[in-house]
């Protein structure tokens, strides 16, 4: 399909790829523009509040609280349409986007394009690690990890009851790779889970004796927060019983453990059945498509080098925002995506109104925060540094503000009361399907494609 000439009598067609922070906030910023038609395309049916995925994985929150339906969020925006599908092709010359939903392809013409497809986990060239150490970038990832974490305690109980102490120890050893905010938060929550929530739930194992190991090749914890806050976070984790190992690079992984190389060149193995990968990100492969069709470059993480106005070279109507863009070493955090989405929307609106372009994108850093445990966090806001309870209260307030929907905010607060003031966690349900479904699909091979048609034993197909 080719793009038809655009008439001034027709609405300006804005296609947005991705329903994350950048894509959703860009769409909402255009809600009052009656001369604009917004088409938001996403491979998921929800907007994901990614910073709280670790709480889904550790049983504090349900997935619905941090992943409201995109259609519901935009239901009252008359100029916006939500389309389910994973974008497989972007044709800049013809101004057409192609998206696939299961085995159905659809095309969408655009006058302006906002690419906010986000990023996935990076294993630094060792993609086979993903089989043994899942990342945490999606609801599927969080639910799989929930199954692996709670399942490890169940399997340890079985092993201990049968007298297999060595096997039980492997199941009670949890390794988190990456000492950034996600890794620190995950390690802290697994530690609290074992020492508080599950303390009295088993008969043959002592969950409080579970070993939680936090690994990173870097020399410090939370390096982006500075040495002082990083040291405070590390000290707090160690008081909680987390084994923090820095200068430790993962060189191999398998079902029963990982192999680590230390900064001095020595190597060792950590036996563990449950590993979590929280190190590194890789931008959507759509970035390479954009670079191949323009004068833009991509960096090692697949991010697209953008101009100061967030467009790509030679295409002033194509914006790349959030985790997909590379500009002045801006961090891949939610606020960069939110501000970038709003900036792109303003640029489109000004261009349609015949106004002069706005100044280049300027990121306003509203600070960074990471929780370590209940009542303890670290926060860096401008020149101010907070730690402990004050930082934790700030973290609570910021996250409540950015959760979409009143109902989700209220319910999230109730879950937090149960988890932080008490010992319970209301989301401990796991199934074999959510735990092993990803591996089962991988075992079907690269040629497997889901289809809306099914085959019977005689080879006939039916819709």
């Amino acid at each position: 399909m080719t793009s038809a000439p655009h008439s001034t009598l027709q609405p300006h067609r804005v296609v947005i790829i991705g329903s994350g922070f950048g894509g959703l906030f860009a769409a909402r910023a255009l809600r009052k523009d009656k001369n604009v038609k917004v088409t938001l395309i996403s491979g998921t049916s929800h907007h994901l509040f990614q910073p709280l995925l670790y709480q889904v994985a550790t049983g504090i929150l349900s997935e619905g609280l941090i992943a409201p339906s995109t259609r519901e969020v935009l239901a009252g925006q008359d100029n916006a349409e939500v389309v389910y599908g994973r974008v497989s092709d972007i044709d800049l010359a013809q101004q057409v986007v192609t998206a696939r939903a299961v085995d159905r392809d659809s095309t969408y013409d655009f006058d302006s394009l906002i690419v906010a497809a986000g990023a996935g986990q990076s294993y630094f060239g060792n993609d086979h690690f993903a089989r043994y150490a899942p990342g945490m970038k999606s609801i599927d990832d969080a639910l799989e990890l929930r199954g692996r974490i709670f399942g490890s305690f169940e399997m340890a109980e079985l092993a201990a009851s049968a007298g297999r102490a060595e096997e039980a120890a492997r199941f009670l050893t949890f390794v988190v790779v990456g000492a950034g905010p996600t890794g620190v938060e995950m390690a802290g929550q697994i530690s609290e889970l074992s020492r508080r929530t599950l303390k009295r739930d088993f008969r043959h194992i002592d969950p409080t004796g579970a070993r939680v190991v936090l690994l990173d090749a870097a020399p410090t914890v939370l390096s982006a927060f500075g040495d002082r806050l990083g040291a405070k976070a590390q000290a707090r984790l160690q008081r909680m019983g987390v084994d923090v190992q820095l200068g430790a690079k993962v060189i191999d992984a398998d079902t029963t453990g990982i192999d680590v190389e230390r900064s001095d060149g020595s190597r060792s193995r950590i036996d563990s059945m449950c590993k979590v990968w929280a190190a590194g990100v890789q931008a959507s492969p759509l970035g390479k498509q954009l670079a191949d069709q323009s004068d833009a470059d991509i960096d090692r993480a697949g991010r697209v080098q953008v101009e100061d106005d967030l467009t790509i070279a030679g295409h002033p109507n194509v914006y790349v925002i959030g985790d997909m863009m590379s500009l002045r070493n801006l961090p891949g955090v939610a606020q960069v995506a939110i501000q970038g989405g709003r900036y792109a929307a303003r640029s489109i609106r000004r261009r349609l109104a015949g106004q002069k372009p706005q100044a280049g994108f300027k990121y306003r850093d509203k600070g960074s925060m990471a929780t370590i445990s209940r009542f303890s966090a670290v926060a860096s806001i401008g020149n101010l540094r907070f730690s402990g309870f004050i930082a934790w209260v700030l973290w609570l307030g910021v996250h409540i503000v950015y959760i979409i929907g009143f109902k989700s905010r209220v319910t999230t607060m109730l879950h937090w009361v149960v988890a932080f003031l008490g010992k319970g966690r209301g989301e401990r349900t796991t199934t074999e399907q959510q735990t092993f479904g990803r591996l089962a699909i991988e075992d079907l091979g690269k040629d497997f494609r889901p289809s809306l048609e099914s085959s019977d034993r005689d080879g006939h197909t039916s819709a």
Side-chain angles (χ1 to χ4, degrees):
M1 174 192 275
T2 59
S3 178
H6 181 61
S7 167
T8 55
L9 298 177
Q10 297 175 335
H12 186 84
R13 299 163 299 186
V14 179
V15 170
I16 300 174
I17 301 174
S19 60
F21 285 107
L24 187 65
F25 277 78
R28 295 174 76 180
L30 293 167
R31 65 186 177 276
K32 295 181 180 180
D33 295 272
K34 303 302 182 183
N35 62 333
V36 169
K37 177 188 176 184
V38 177
T39 302
L40 188 149
I41 308 172
S42 176
T44 69
S45 62
H46 54 265
H47 161 70
L48 177 60
F49 192 87
Q50 201 172 76
L52 290 178
L53 270 178
Y54 75 96
Q55 294 200 3
V56 174
T58 53
I60 297 175
L61 299 177
S62 70
E63 60 273 24
L65 294 178
I66 69 165
S69 165
T70 310
R71 291 188 182 279
E72 183 178 0
V73 174
L74 296 178
Q77 185 169 332
D78 293 337
N79 70 341
E81 176 185 9
V82 177
V83 174
Y84 174 72
R86 296 188 182 278
V87 172
S88 57
D89 183 69
I90 301 173
D91 188 329
L92 295 182
Q94 298 298 320
Q95 296 190 177
V96 175
V97 167
T98 302
R100 166 161 287 204
V102 190
D103 57 355
R104 304 288 192 265
D105 286 335
S106 301
T107 58
Y108 306 90
D109 299 329
F110 65 85
D111 298 307
S112 293
L113 176 66
I114 300 176
V115 186
Q121 203 71 62
S122 173
Y123 290 86
F124 308 108
N126 299 292
D127 291 347
H128 63 285
F129 289 0
R131 186 172 185 87
Y132 314 107
M136 195 162 48
K137 292 295 182 182
S138 69
I139 288 294
D140 284 338
D141 293 339
L143 292 177
E144 177 181 346
L145 283 170
R146 183 195 291 177
R148 287 181 177 238
I149 292 168
F150 285 98
S152 290
F153 288 100
E154 297 294 343
M155 296 304 296
E157 174 82 349
L158 287 175
S161 66
R164 301 190 297 272
E166 185 175 330
E167 180 181 335
R170 283 200 300 270
F171 278 112
L172 288 175
T173 300
F174 301 86
V175 177
V176 180
V177 182
T182 300
V184 166
E185 289 168 338
M186 177 60 87
Q189 283 305 316
I190 295 176
S191 177
E192 287 204 331
L193 179 68
S194 64
R195 286 160 174 74
R196 285 177 53 81
T197 304
L198 304 180
K199 183 177 180 180
R200 301 183 183 277
D201 288 9
F202 295 89
R203 300 295 176 263
H204 300 280
I205 61 171
D206 178 9
T208 64
R211 182 188 181 197
V212 182
V213 183
L214 179 63
L215 297 175
D216 202 302
T220 59
V221 170
L222 296 176
S223 57
F225 286 70
D227 292 342
R228 187 170 72 86
L229 288 183
K232 286 181 176 291
Q234 181 175 344
R236 174 59 181 162
L237 288 168
Q238 290 172 332
R239 288 197 298 272
M240 295 169 61
V242 176
D243 181 4
V244 180
Q245 299 186 21
L246 303 174
K249 177 183 177 182
V250 177
I251 57 174
D252 202 5
D254 55 35
T255 302
T256 60
I258 62 172
D259 296 314
V260 177
E261 183 176 78
R262 312 289 171 179
S263 53
D264 61 4
S266 63
R267 296 186 176 186
S268 62
R269 180 173 176 82
I270 302 175
D271 292 324
S272 168
M273 299 297 291
C274 185
K275 287 85 66 179
V276 182
W277 193 273
V281 295
Q282 184 72 27
S284 164
L286 293 178
K288 186 176 187 307
Q289 283 195 31
L290 296 175
D292 288 345
Q293 299 178 63
S294 68
D295 295 327
D297 294 322
I298 56 175
D299 63 15
R300 293 179 61 184
R303 296 174 298 184
V304 181
Q305 182 66 49
V306 297
E307 306 294 315
D308 283 345
D309 62 357
L310 306 187
T311 64
I312 60 176
H315 296 272
N317 64 329
V318 178
Y319 301 84
V320 180
I321 63 175
D323 291 344
M324 284 195 64
M325 77 173 188
S326 174
L327 179 67
R328 300 191 296 268
N329 295 316
L330 291 176
V333 296
Q335 272 300 322
V336 172
I338 291 171
Q339 293 177 32
R342 288 171 170 166
Y343 177 94
R346 285 196 304 271
S347 293
I348 293 171
R349 194 161 51 240
R350 292 174 70 90
R351 190 168 75 249
L352 293 178
Q355 300 173 350
K356 68 176 183 179
Q358 59 183 329
F361 176 69
K362 184 177 180 181
Y363 170 55
R364 293 171 177 79
D365 188 355
K366 295 187 177 181
S368 302
M369 301 178 181
T371 57
I372 305 166
S373 64
R374 67 190 192 111
F375 311 142
S376 180
V378 292
S380 174
I381 305 173
N383 294 323
L384 302 176
R385 302 292 182 268
F386 302 94
S387 62
F389 183 74
I390 293 177
W392 186 76
V393 172
L394 291 172
W395 177 91
L396 284 179
V398 168
H399 284 71
I400 281 294
V401 167
Y402 282 101
I403 290 177
I404 302 293
F406 174 78
K407 182 175 69 174
S408 292
R409 292 190 183 105
V410 172
T411 309
T412 296
M413 291 179 68
L414 292 175
H415 278 263
W416 282 347
V417 168
V418 171
F420 298 145
L421 298 183
K423 298 180 180 180
R425 302 204 175 188
E427 303 296 333
R428 288 170 54 174
T429 302
T430 65
T431 68
E432 288 189 359
Q433 182 169 309
Q434 74 186 39
T435 307
F436 301 109
R438 176 179 64 92
L439 299 182
I441 292 175
E442 286 183 4
D443 288 343
L444 290 173
K446 293 182 179 180
D447 293 333
F448 169 73
R449 294 291 184 273
S451 173
L452 294 175
E453 295 183 342
S454 59
S455 298
D456 58 27
R457 293 182 179 180
D458 296 325
H460 298 101
T461 61
S462 58

